[in-house]
Structures are given as C-alpha cells and as structure tokens.
Amino acid sequence: MRKKDGKDVMKEFEVRKNRQLVAIVLTVFIVLLCGVLYKRPVLYASFPKEGLFGPQIAAIVAFASFSALNWRCPSCGKYLGGDVHRQICKKCGVRLQ
Ligand SMILES: [Zn+2]
C-alpha cells in the first residue's frame, strides 16, 4: 500500500469526521428520544420500562463500536480520542485538517 500524502489524509479525515458527527447526532437523538418517552406517562404506558433502556444501551454500544472502527488516524490507524476538532494526530503527527 502506498503511503498517503497530506491531501489524502485530510480528505479521509474529513470523511471520517462527518461519519463520526452523524453517529454522534444519531446516538444523542436515540438516547434523548428514549428519555423523553420514559418521562411521558401517556406514551410511557405503551412502553415497558425496561424496553426503553435496551435501545439506549444498544445505541451507545453501537456508537462505541462504530467509533472504535471509524475514529482513527487515516495515516497510522491510531484511535483519535474524544476531540472531534483534533488538528494533528498525536501518534504520528500527521496534519488532519
Ligand atoms: Zn496518526
């Protein structure tokens, strides 16, 4: 595999970052939605109590697994951590954006 140049790395990072942001929004949406349903007695009546924790946990687990695969440096493959606005990879020092 040829070594990626700076432009390729930034392009791939942009794609990964967008995927990551979509995943964050989706996860927050699912978790909040379940929270809202849980707090509304009218809606709550039609949902079993433990039935709402399932989707929340599933969303969080899915997000964590997705992040572990997606949120990596395009150059060295190291996990990038919690900062979505990271400029430079801490491991290999490649410029990400
Ligand atoms: Zn790196």
Side-chain angles (χ1 to χ4, degrees):
M1 204 175 99
R2 83 185 172 89
K3 202 176 179 314
K4 291 178 183 133
D5 66 25
K7 233 171 87 186
D8 287 343
V9 168
M10 281 193 235
K11 220 159 116 190
E12 194 177 329
F13 178 76
E14 184 68 29
V15 171
R16 284 170 185 251
K17 190 172 130 178
N18 288 335
R19 279 199 298 237
Q20 194 67 16
L21 291 174
V22 169
I24 290 168
V25 169
L26 267 176
T27 307
V28 169
F29 178 74
I30 292 168
V31 170
L32 287 182
L33 185 71
C34 290
V36 168
L37 290 176
Y38 181 69
K39 285 202 173 105
R40 297 259 174 120
V42 181
L43 291 167
Y44 168 58
S46 56
F47 289 92
K49 199 183 194 176
E50 58 280 6
L52 288 171
F53 289 111
Q56 282 182 319
I57 291 164
I60 291 163
V61 169
F63 174 72
S65 319
F66 175 77
S67 297
L69 289 172
N70 179 61
W71 196 234
R72 290 180 175 278
C73 171
S75 184
C76 68
K78 187 173 158 58
Y79 185 65
L80 291 168
D83 185 8
V84 191
H85 303 289
R86 190 174 294 285
Q87 303 280 321
I88 288 164
C89 172
K90 266 199 274 184
K91 176 140 190 245
C92 68
V94 75
R95 191 163 171 78
L96 297 168
Q97 56 185 333

